[in-house]
């Protein structure tokens, strides 16, 4: 091989080697950039997840325990009270109202007293016996008024509201829902259910059953007991209860403000319908 040809080959090999080095550098840079992009995506995902977790932690959700009181609470998705809670939740910027249940009435209250839930609704507020269940506080705002009625046999000596006031139910065997025993200034016995209590009244096994008109009338119509008489006992605020803790008092303030705003706008009365202005009905037949 001539010297000139050898020199040319050497130059070409140097050029090829230089090209390969540039390719290697370019590939290394591409890999580095790809890795950087992957790292950037990973960092953004971690940031988003951290932000999501922070928002979740910071959200002041309120767990609402509701009792089994058809038709006011049919499920976590249906009933006038459930509809109202959903409406309040839609206006709550700090979190959500999360409905749990429905539970037996007393268990729903116990959920709040034990701290398992943040709120129970509704519960009668009786000025004659104003103390809430132990470990709880009442809301300052009432959702609606509830009419309580005493159900007795037609032949019972209590004939009217005036005689009811004079007798004060002392000495009589009267049942009510177990969660409401402490809400009246006279002795009451816990009822297993509305139906069982009305059957006892009809059979003469107890003197009467004292409970909310709307819910009890619905059962009485179904049972079609014609020998049971209804006596109006009184109209009371239906309020919510919260744990007697700093968190519970904060949630109470949030709830009561939202409820005031909802009442002012007319949204709550519209959702509650006739429940917003409940009055004693003389006859259900």
């Amino acid at each position: 091989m001539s010297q000139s040809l050898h020199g040319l080959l050497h130059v070409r090999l140097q050029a090829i080697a230089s090209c390969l080095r540039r390719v290697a550098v370019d590939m290394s840079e591409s890999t580095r950039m790809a890795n950087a992009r992957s790292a950037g995506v990973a960092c953004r995902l971690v940031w988003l997840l951290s932000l999501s977790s922070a928002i979740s932690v910071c959200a002041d959700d309120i767990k609402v325990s509701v009792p089994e009181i058809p038709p006011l609470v049919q499920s976590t998705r249906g009933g006038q009270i459930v509809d109202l809670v959903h409406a309040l939740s839609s206006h709550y910027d700090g979190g959500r109202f999360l409905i749990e249940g429905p539970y037996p009435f007393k268990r729903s209250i116990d959920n709040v007293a034990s701290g398992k839930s943040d709120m129970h609704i509704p519960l009668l507020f009786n000025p004659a016996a104003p103390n809430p269940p132990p470990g709880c506080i009442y809301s300052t705002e009432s959702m609606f008024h509830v009419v309580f009625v005493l159900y007795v046999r037609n032949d019972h000596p209590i004939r009217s509201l005036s005689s009811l006031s004079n007798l004060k139910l002392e000495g009589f065997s009267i049942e009510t829902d177990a969660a409401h025993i402490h809400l009246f200034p006279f002795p009451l016995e816990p009822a297993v259910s509305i139906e069982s209590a009305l059957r006892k009244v009809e059979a003469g096994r107890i003197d009467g059953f004292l409970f909310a008109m709307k819910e009890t009338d619905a059962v009485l119509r179904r049972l079609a007991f014609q020998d049971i008489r209804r006596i109006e006992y009184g109209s009371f605020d239906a309020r919510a209860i919260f744990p007697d803790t700093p968190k519970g008092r904060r949630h109470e303030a949030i709830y009561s403000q939202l409820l005031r705003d909802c009442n002012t706008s007319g949204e709550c009365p519209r959702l509650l319908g006739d429940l917003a202005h409940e009055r004693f009905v003389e006859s259900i037949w």
Side-chain angles (χ1 to χ4, degrees):
M1 182 181 294
S2 66
Q3 186 176 0
S4 58
L5 183 60
H6 178 79
L8 179 62
L9 183 59
H10 180 71
V11 170
R12 292 290 178 87
L13 288 174
Q14 283 184 325
I16 292 172
S18 178
C19 181
L20 289 173
R21 282 195 298 271
R22 285 198 302 273
V23 169
V25 169
D26 290 344
M27 290 180 66
S28 177
E29 180 65 17
S30 297
T31 302
R32 186 189 66 78
M33 292 178 66
N35 289 339
R37 283 195 297 271
S38 298
V41 170
C43 287
R44 283 194 291 273
L45 286 174
V46 170
W47 179 78
L48 288 172
L49 289 172
S50 298
L51 179 61
S52 175
S53 298
I55 292 173
S56 177
V57 169
C58 292
D60 195 10
D61 292 340
I62 300 175
K63 293 183 292 183
V64 184
S65 182
V66 294
E68 296 170 342
I69 45 170
L72 305 186
V73 177
Q74 302 282 15
S75 67
T76 56
R77 294 189 179 89
Q80 290 161 296
I81 289 176
V82 171
D83 293 342
L84 190 143
V85 173
H86 284 314
L88 296 181
S89 185
S90 69
H91 297 294
Y92 179 30
D93 295 332
R96 298 169 297 167
F97 285 81
L98 306 175
I99 299 178
E100 301 175 333
Y103 301 102
F105 212 111
K106 189 175 185 303
R107 181 181 169 189
S108 184
I109 291 176
D110 290 342
N111 286 343
V112 175
S114 65
K116 292 180 181 177
S117 300
D118 300 312
M119 168 183 165
H120 160 93
I121 192 169
L123 185 64
L124 173 150
F125 174 76
N126 185 354
N131 294 326
C136 300
I137 58 171
Y138 276 113
S139 63
T140 55
E141 206 68 17
S142 63
M143 179 177 275
F144 54 87
H145 296 288
V146 57
V147 175
F148 263 57
V149 171
L150 178 65
Y151 296 80
V152 298
R153 281 177 57 90
N154 285 331
D155 57 0
H156 198 277
I158 295 179
R159 308 301 304 173
S160 65
L161 184 60
S162 59
S163 64
L164 180 64
S165 300
N166 292 332
L167 292 170
K168 298 180 180 178
L169 296 186
E170 292 179 3
F172 290 97
S173 173
I174 307 292
E175 288 190 358
T176 190
D177 177 82
H180 292 73
I181 290 175
H182 71 285
L183 301 178
F184 297 93
F186 44 78
L188 291 167
E189 295 295 326
V192 173
S193 66
I194 294 175
E195 180 173 336
S196 69
L198 290 176
R199 289 188 180 278
K200 286 182 181 180
V201 172
E202 196 270 342
R205 294 171 54 195
I206 58 175
D207 291 297
F209 176 61
L210 180 63
F211 198 53
M213 177 181 71
K214 191 178 184 72
E215 295 88 330
T216 310
D217 282 356
V219 178
L220 186 58
R221 288 190 191 94
R222 177 169 57 80
L223 295 175
F225 288 158
Q226 298 292 328
D227 54 350
I228 288 183
R229 189 160 37 86
R230 302 158 62 257
I231 302 172
E232 180 183 10
Y233 179 78
S235 180
F236 305 94
D237 285 349
R239 300 191 183 185
I241 59 168
F242 299 82
D244 187 8
T245 63
K247 179 182 177 183
R249 288 187 284 275
R250 183 177 73 250
H251 286 166
E252 188 282 320
I254 292 169
Y255 163 80
S256 288
Q257 183 60 57
L258 288 170
L259 189 57
R260 278 191 292 271
D261 294 343
C262 188
N263 282 323
T264 300
S265 69
E267 185 175 7
C268 285
R270 178 180 60 79
L271 290 171
L272 292 173
D274 59 350
L275 190 63
H277 307 286
E278 188 176 58
R279 299 289 184 272
F280 177 68
V281 178
E282 291 291 341
S283 175
I284 64 169
W285 307 111

